[in-house]
Amino acid sequence: MTRSLGTADFTAPIEDRWFSDYVAGVQYEYGHLDVREEEILRFAEQFDPQPIHTDPDFALHGPFGGLIGSGWHSAGLAMRLLADHYLSKVASLASPGVDELRWKVPLRPGDRVRLRATVLEARPSRSKPDRGMVVTQVELLNQDDGAPISFRAMNLLAVRPDRRSPSGSA
Amino acid sequence: MTRSLGTADFTAPIEDRWFSDYVAGVQYEYGHLDVREEEILRFAEQFDPQPIHTDPDFALHGPFGGLIGSGWHSAGLAMRLLADHYLSKVASLASPGVDELRWKVPLRPGDRVRLRATVLEARPSRSKPDRGMVVTQVELLNQDDGAPISFRAMNLLAVRPDRRSPSGSA
């Protein structure tokens, strides 16, 4: 089981967490996940069958000196920690996308990774008063604090029902 | 088996394709992949366990009126088609990341998706004459030409060995 690793966590539990619970500037950490070679191979065989991700012998003589995980596998690991600990289970409406996705260091078998999520911005919707957009800097960090993946995520979150303004003018 | 769907394909086979084979402005299409509910559930249980992706009954009453795939599952499907048809199996060195990743329409069970890859830019490296950066607009399109995912990918590709300049001045 993964858990909060930071000095503070949300006061609102993930089953009752709403737009107003995301405050710009606050940073959270959750983990760890241990990355096994067989998981790297299984993901890559299905979604990214390049030999650097599927063939340990080939990869040993490649530019990274060994097998590395698909960059999209790193995305999946970051998403898993976001879904388990950060993203509200009741208020998450949709995500339009992410920006500046970067793969800075390879994901390797044996890595122990954690999530760092920093709220960059939380702005109420102008047109729809029942929701707001939360922008989060997401980093998956390994045991050496290198980032197999980082990106800036956009998430539409619902406002807590009892705080909604029927006219949108509040 | 997926295949080229466009009017033209690369003349260089994927096992002997190099930086110079990627030419700005050229567009390719490959497919199709058929998306099954059980694949959506399997991906989501592992990487994105939000009920809109894991619970068909819950999803039926949600904002999309039914189960939708994780956005990262769409990324995996696009990557699979890129790896099978577009990205050189011998010259692909690394990817620094992607920009402007967008989820415009949901991925749904029963969707038939294809890849559209458009070469936006291919520029030789100034510091390392043995490689160049290829920038590709990637779109995964469904049967209605909606895009479950799109992004701008950066890929470092090696120059064909017999065209490399030892001094970097060519």
Side-chain angles (χ1 to χ4, degrees):
Chain A
M1 281 296 290
T2 54
R3 60 181 180 84
S4 172
L5 302 171
T7 50
D9 198 0
F10 286 91
T11 49
I14 199 165
E15 299 84 7
D16 188 28
R17 188 178 297 169
W18 303 85
F19 171 67
S20 61
D21 293 310
Y22 295 83
V23 176
V26 183
Q27 185 171 91
Y28 303 95
E29 289 199 18
Y30 304 102
H32 301 271
L33 292 173
D34 291 308
V35 181
R36 290 177 305 152
E37 180 174 293
E38 66 190 74
E39 293 167 11
I40 284 179
L41 296 172
R42 195 174 348 127
F43 184 97
E45 277 153 19
Q46 192 173 0
F47 295 113
D48 195 352
Q50 302 186 70
I52 193 92
H53 304 314
T54 59
D55 184 340
D57 291 332
F58 172 94
L60 197 59
H61 305 286
F64 298 101
L67 191 77
I68 67 171
S70 169
W72 300 108
H73 189 178
S74 296
L77 297 177
M79 187 65 230
R80 177 62 194 248
L81 290 166
L82 286 169
D84 282 350
H85 298 288
Y86 180 79
L87 259 189
S88 167
K89 293 204 185 296
V90 289
S92 182
L93 298 173
S95 170
V98 310
D99 287 299
E100 267 183 72
L101 187 156
R102 294 293 177 272
W103 294 299
K104 287 173 197 158
V105 306
L107 181 75
R108 295 182 186 272
D111 274 357
R112 166 163 283 199
V113 294
R114 69 188 194 278
L115 177 77
R116 180 184 291 160
T118 309
V119 182
L120 296 179
E121 195 181 345
R123 56 169 191 276
S125 166
R126 282 181 217 172
S127 57
K128 297 183 179 172
D130 66 343
R131 63 193 63 188
M133 179 78 85
V134 174
V135 182
T136 306
Q137 181 64 30
V138 175
E139 298 161 277
L140 190 76
L141 300 172
N142 67 19
Q143 60 284 349
D144 302 316
D145 288 340
I149 195 169
S150 61
F151 54 86
R152 203 167 59 243
M154 293 179 278
N155 290 91
L156 281 170
L157 276 291
V159 168
R160 188 181 298 270
D162 61 7
R163 295 200 199 158
R164 287 177 197 167
S165 154
S167 67
S169 60
Chain B
M1 280 296 292
T2 55
R3 61 182 180 81
S4 173
L5 302 170
T7 50
D9 198 0
F10 286 91
T11 49
I14 199 165
E15 300 82 6
D16 188 28
R17 189 177 297 168
W18 303 85
F19 172 67
S20 60
D21 294 309
Y22 296 83
V23 175
V26 183
Q27 186 170 90
Y28 303 95
E29 289 199 17
Y30 305 101
H32 300 273
L33 292 174
D34 291 309
V35 181
R36 291 178 301 153
E37 180 175 292
E38 66 190 73
E39 293 167 12
I40 285 180
L41 297 173
R42 194 172 350 127
F43 185 96
E45 279 154 18
Q46 191 173 0
F47 295 114
D48 195 351
Q50 302 186 70
I52 193 91
H53 305 314
T54 60
D55 183 342
D57 292 331
F58 172 95
L60 198 59
H61 305 285
F64 298 101
L67 191 77
I68 66 170
S70 169
W72 300 109
H73 190 176
S74 296
L77 297 175
M79 187 66 231
R80 178 59 194 249
L81 289 166
L82 286 168
D84 283 350
H85 298 288
Y86 180 79
L87 258 189
S88 167
K89 292 203 186 296
V90 289
S92 182
L93 297 173
S95 170
V98 312
D99 286 299
E100 266 183 72
L101 187 156
R102 293 294 176 270
W103 295 299
K104 288 172 196 158
V105 306
L107 181 76
R108 294 181 187 274
D111 274 357
R112 168 164 281 199
V113 295
R114 69 188 194 279
L115 177 78
R116 181 184 288 159
T118 310
V119 182
L120 297 180
E121 194 181 348
R123 58 172 192 277
S125 166
R126 281 181 217 169
S127 56
K128 296 182 179 173
D130 65 344
R131 64 192 62 188
M133 178 78 83
V134 174
V135 181
T136 306
Q137 182 63 30
V138 174
E139 297 162 277
L140 190 76
L141 299 172
N142 66 20
Q143 60 284 348
D144 303 315
D145 288 340
I149 195 168
S150 63
F151 53 86
R152 202 164 64 243
M154 295 179 277
N155 290 92
L156 280 170
L157 276 290
V159 169
R160 188 180 297 271
D162 61 6
R163 294 200 199 158
R164 287 179 197 167
S165 153
S167 68
S169 60

